[in-house]
Amino acid sequence: VLLVESGGGLVQPGRSLRLSCVASGFIFSNYGMSWYRQAAGKERELVASISTTGSSASYVDSVKGRFTISRDNTENAVYLQMNSLKSGDTARYYCSVFRDREYFGQGTQVTVSS
């Protein structure tokens, strides 16, 4: 299993970012996918999950209405569109899949600061 995230960066509050994760090493369309984040000094937090077909998704309360998870099974990719970013969204963001265990990519850093 290989998960490679990209799209992070430094952004001002209120702006947007789109994270991408490209997966390989497994049949992507057979698995639900998730995004986690981990802020400095805090535990890793589940941010959003999406079903195999993309027909259903769930979000942690703190990002509902601002973040949207999506996937493209033809590209083996999952995305996280993040709008109206806040300083509290600053964290390293990880793509994840659960097979025999939870797999994570290396993460991409998102810093929200003026």
Side-chain angles (χ1 to χ4, degrees):
V1 173
L2 181 63
L3 303 169
V4 180
E5 302 94 336
S6 62
L10 172 63
V11 64
Q12 293 180 331
R15 303 300 292 268
S16 299
L17 276 177
R18 188 191 194 214
L19 306 183
S20 300
C21 171
V22 177
S24 61
F26 62 102
I27 302 174
F28 182 76
S29 58
N30 284 359
Y31 293 88
M33 298 295 296
S34 297
W35 284 96
Y36 284 76
R37 67 185 178 186
Q38 187 167 21
K42 295 188 177 181
E43 293 186 356
R44 193 169 294 186
E45 172 187 45
L46 175 62
V47 175
S49 296
I50 190 167
S51 63
T52 55
T53 61
S55 60
S56 65
S58 62
Y59 302 88
V60 68
D61 284 348
S62 60
V63 309
K64 284 180 180 177
R66 300 188 298 121
F67 290 13
T68 303
I69 188 172
S70 61
R71 66 189 294 161
D72 184 341
N73 286 347
T74 66
E75 297 290 336
N76 283 8
V78 60
Y79 307 99
L80 187 67
Q81 177 67 43
M82 306 186 295
N83 298 331
S84 301
L85 282 161
K86 305 175 181 179
S87 58
D89 296 319
T90 295
R92 193 163 188 86
Y93 285 72
Y94 299 87
C95 175
S96 173
V97 63
F98 185 87
R99 298 184 67 212
D100 51 302
R101 63 172 178 86
E102 197 86 39
Y103 289 86
F104 295 95
Q106 83 290 348
T108 185
Q109 179 66 34
V110 172
T111 302
V112 184
S113 175
S114 55

